[in-house]
Amino acid sequence: MSSLRNGGHHVRWAFDLGSWRPTAADLLLATSCIQPEEKLRLSRFVFRDDFNASLIGRLMMRRFVHVATGLPYNEITFGRDSKGKPFLKNSGVTVDFNVSHQGRYAVLAGLSIGKCPPEDGPRPKIGIDVMKIEYGGGKSLDEFFRLMTRNFSDEEWQYIRGRPDDQGRLEAFMRNWCLKESYVKNVGVGITIDLRKISFHIRNETLARDRVAYDTTLRVNDEPARDWRFEESLIDTDHCVAVSLENIPAEEDLSRNCFELIDFNTLIEGHRPLLAIDEDYCDGIINKEYKKSH
């Protein structure tokens, strides 16, 4: 964790879902460490991959808040706002976090500031998205781009189509899409607005696993979004990730915010169960089919 001013922290975590096949004991433990309403929500997933990804997302949120604020694990309480975005209900600390999953990874970006700013002051906010860099839609890449025309500005399409080959164009497309998702998840509007009016200008041509690109800028409705900053990097060669930050000081160093791979044992370290062990629930989960839904 790197430091944020006023005694806070920010975190970038990635969990490799592709290599995680939880034992029955793992499931019994994990499903006792989430709130009842989240347990019910998870039970509605048809496929095991979706269940696993969302379960890990819930555990990442709880672990982040516990580490960043010192709140006892079983006293942390999450709610959801009117748009369904999770938030911390406990008072006395300022935190924001966001989770995403796609491909083989679940990711979390979180920040906490030790002392709450004034009620009328700007509060830091964060959003995240991860994308697997692949296309298997059956149509040619050019036809796919044609169908997606209304989702990018003219400047963004110039950047995407200006790459020298299909792989480069696909990487540029996913990078821009990841940025947009991180922004709309931060503001909480979903991909329902005119995405052409959210236009990114990418300066750093390449992404890396051990280096954060943080010089990408944004225009919204053709006006510079001056209170926004963005981090971009790779988790591996097949997965790009973008983090959007609002109201983060311009002098704050983002260069070291690379993603740390964490495992299941780390996520449940210091846990305190919220619920009783539920063997019937876990038996039903074990019978769910492993299948990709993305």
Side-chain angles (χ1 to χ4, degrees), residues 235-250:
I235 299 176
D236 62 22
T237 55
D238 297 323
H239 293 79
C240 61
V241 62
V243 176
S244 65
L245 297 152
E246 186 182 17
N247 300 321
I248 296 296

Side-chain angles (χ1 to χ4, degrees), residues 30-282:
T31 56
S32 72
C33 293
I34 56 177
Q35 293 170 199
E37 66 274 17
E38 294 297 340
K39 181 178 171 182
L40 177 61
R41 182 188 294 265
L42 292 178
S43 71
R44 295 170 180 157
F45 285 113
V46 174
F47 298 119
R48 181 68 180 278
D49 283 346
D50 294 324
F51 175 90
N52 284 356
S54 294
L55 175 62
I56 289 299
R58 306 284 79 74
L59 295 178
M60 291 172 95
M61 287 163 37
R62 191 164 293 273
R63 175 68 178 166
F64 161 67
V65 173
H66 172 64
V67 170
T69 70
L71 286 168
Y73 196 95
N74 58 336
E75 294 180 15
I76 297 165
T77 304
F78 296 112
R80 287 181 182 264
D81 64 20
S82 60
K83 298 181 176 66
K85 183 179 179 180
F87 68 93
L88 180 67
K89 295 179 73 172
N90 303 71
S91 60
V93 291
T94 297
V95 301
D96 197 28
F97 52 86
N98 201 215
V99 295
S100 179
H101 66 87
Q102 214 262 339
R104 68 181 296 136
Y105 292 101
V107 293
L108 175 142
L111 62 87
S112 73
I113 296 178
K115 297 179 180 179
C116 291
E119 287 298 321
D120 58 350
R123 291 175 179 263
K125 293 175 58 183
I126 200 163
I128 190 172
D129 193 59
V130 59
M131 293 294 299
K132 186 174 183 182
I133 305 170
E134 68 172 1
Y135 173 64
K139 300 179 176 63
S140 70
L141 198 59
D142 284 342
E143 177 62 12
F144 173 63
F145 286 172
R146 186 188 69 78
L147 294 172
M148 297 293 287
T149 297
R150 300 182 69 176
N151 293 313
F152 294 91
S153 68
D154 290 344
E155 179 184 358
E156 289 170 329
W157 277 122
Q158 184 177 3
Y159 175 80
I160 293 167
R161 291 194 167 108
R163 304 303 95 192
D165 52 35
D166 278 356
Q167 181 60 28
R169 287 187 281 274
L170 179 61
E171 290 172 0
F173 176 92
M174 293 301 182
R175 184 174 175 182
N176 274 273
W177 188 254
C178 206
L179 283 162
K180 282 184 192 281
E181 285 269 18
S182 75
Y183 172 79
V184 298
K185 287 181 67 182
N186 194 324
V187 299
V189 297
I191 303 287
T192 58
I193 56 177
D194 187 350
L195 295 180
R196 291 171 297 183
K197 306 213 169 168
I198 303 168
S199 184
F200 287 92
H201 179 68
I202 292 172
R203 292 182 169 87
N204 195 313
E205 290 293 325
T206 59
L207 296 181
R209 284 172 283 189
D210 58 353
R211 184 178 68 253
V212 177
Y214 54 95
D215 54 357
T216 290
T217 57
L218 170 67
R219 296 180 72 87
V220 179
N221 294 319
D222 209 31
E223 294 292 330
R226 302 190 187 281
D227 294 329
W228 288 83
R229 301 179 70 191
F230 298 89
E231 302 169 4
E232 298 177 85
S233 58
L234 297 177
I235 299 176
D236 62 22
T237 55
D238 297 323
H239 293 79
C240 61
V241 62
V243 176
S244 65
L245 297 152
E246 186 182 17
N247 300 321
I248 296 296
E251 66 273 15
E252 184 69 36
D253 181 11
L254 306 179
S255 64
R256 294 176 294 173
N257 289 349
C258 296
F259 276 75
E260 174 191 358
L261 278 173
I262 59 171
D263 59 21
F264 180 71
N265 289 332
T266 300
L267 283 184
I268 53 92
E269 182 181 343
H271 74 281
R272 295 182 188 174
L274 284 73
L275 304 172
I277 294 294
D278 189 340
E279 293 186 1
D280 290 339
Y281 180 91
C282 291

